[in-house]
Amino acid sequence: MAAFAHSAPCWVDVQLSDLEAGKRFYGGLFGWTFRAGDGMPFADALSGGRLVAALAAKKDGRMPTAWGVYFATEDIRATVAAIREHGGQIITDPVRAGRAGIVAQAADPGGAVFGLWQPEEREGFEKQNEPGSFCWTEVHTRRPESVDPFYEKVFGFRGTDLDEAGNDVSGDAEALVDFRMWSPEGTEPGPDTAVGGRSVITDAFPAELPSYFLTYFAVADCEAAAELAVQLGGRVSAPPFDIPYGRMAVLHDDQGALFAVLQPRELLP
């Protein structure tokens, strides 16, 4: 299993009220198989025998039914300190997850929740950027002016602002920019090195909509995935549409968890 660079998204999981129903939905949608977590109330999801995600039974019914993303760190306590220093909050202090690694949960200054993962025996994904696996994440926020510097300082991200066509507009101060891609420290910022992004929640959305991370999974056929999600009891939040990097749709599973599917441009007919 390849190691993940500091700050790279390395894992995702979803908190569900009905774990068995979740297995049926995601097994039907992505072809995932599942492996019990040593008697724990969660199940590892595998695609082609390789780890791609986890499904977990909610410990408390008040917890949101949602997908969560985890960023790799070589020193989780130092990252926790940086989060506090730069205006974020720690929801769960670092705790050991058996022999797999050390985990913590945090929120950025806009309130979006994310996880930290310091690996030991488990690095993270064994498969990504292929159909049936994680391919992208982005935070949706109302506070880009505080969220952007937070991620740049905590994780060392370097941003690239894009216009609606996905072009770099960093040299055009008057361009209307509402999307930023993040590249890890030490790389040349741009779409080729980006590991995540930031989108702005506009006034067109209800005021009660909180900031959140949207997790994307790659699929071979966006339309077919959206149709299948509905057949499995889910619903479509945003029907399939084209973006510079392929064709995507935003979906809810049969328990309400939000996620996106992306048919990469190279898989389009």
Side-chain angles (χ1 to χ4, degrees), residues 108-126:
D108 69 23
V113 175
F114 60 92
L116 302 173
W117 181 251
Q118 180 180 316
E120 291 184 350
E121 291 187 358
R122 176 177 293 193
E123 295 284 355
F125 305 119
E126 293 177 338

Side-chain angles (χ1 to χ4, degrees), residues 35-44 98-100 122:
R35 181 174 67 198
D38 298 327
M40 300 295 286
F42 69 89
D44 287 329
R99 293 175 295 181
R122 176 177 293 193

Side-chain angles (χ1 to χ4, degrees), residues 87-109:
Q89 294 183 329
I90 300 303
I91 298 171
T92 305
D93 284 317
V95 61
R96 187 169 296 280
R99 293 175 295 181
I102 303 172
V103 64
Q105 278 199 320
D108 69 23

Side-chain angles (χ1 to χ4, degrees), residues 10-187:
C10 65
W11 192 245
V12 289
D13 62 20
V14 63
Q15 301 289 325
L16 300 170
S17 298
D18 189 332
L19 181 58
E20 293 305 314
K23 290 180 183 179
R24 291 191 294 271
F25 179 87
Y26 289 103
L29 182 62
F30 295 133
W32 288 351
T33 57
F34 299 94
R35 181 174 67 198
D38 298 327
M40 300 295 286
F42 69 89
D44 287 329
L46 301 98
S47 175
R50 293 183 285 170
L51 284 168
V52 290
L55 276 57
K58 290 197 286 187
K59 299 177 182 178
D60 186 332
R62 294 171 295 182
M63 294 173 63
T65 302
W67 278 96
V69 64
Y70 296 78
F71 295 94
T73 175
E74 299 168 356
D75 186 339
I76 197 167
R77 296 194 181 279
T79 305
V80 162
I83 288 169
R84 289 190 169 115
E85 178 183 354
H86 296 295
Q89 294 183 329
I90 300 303
I91 298 171
T92 305
D93 284 317
V95 61
R96 187 169 296 280
R99 293 175 295 181
I102 303 172
V103 64
Q105 278 199 320
D108 69 23
V113 175
F114 60 92
L116 302 173
W117 181 251
Q118 180 180 316
E120 291 184 350
E121 291 187 358
R122 176 177 293 193
E123 295 284 355
F125 305 119
E126 293 177 338
K127 175 182 179 180
Q128 60 178 321
N129 301 318
E130 300 177 43
S133 66
F134 170 89
C135 64
W136 184 253
T137 189
E138 63 197 25
V139 64
H140 290 241
T141 183
R142 298 181 189 277
R143 297 179 57 190
E145 70 285 349
S146 58
V147 164
D148 286 349
F150 170 82
Y151 287 102
E152 290 163 5
K153 292 173 181 176
V154 171
F155 290 124
F157 287 148
R158 301 178 67 190
T160 303
D161 292 323
L162 305 179
D163 63 15
E164 292 182 357
N167 300 310
D168 181 355
V169 296
S170 56
D172 185 355
E174 297 183 358
L176 179 61
V177 175
D178 60 5
F179 191 83
R180 173 170 289 188
M181 282 185 163
W182 289 325
S183 297
E185 189 174 18
T187 65

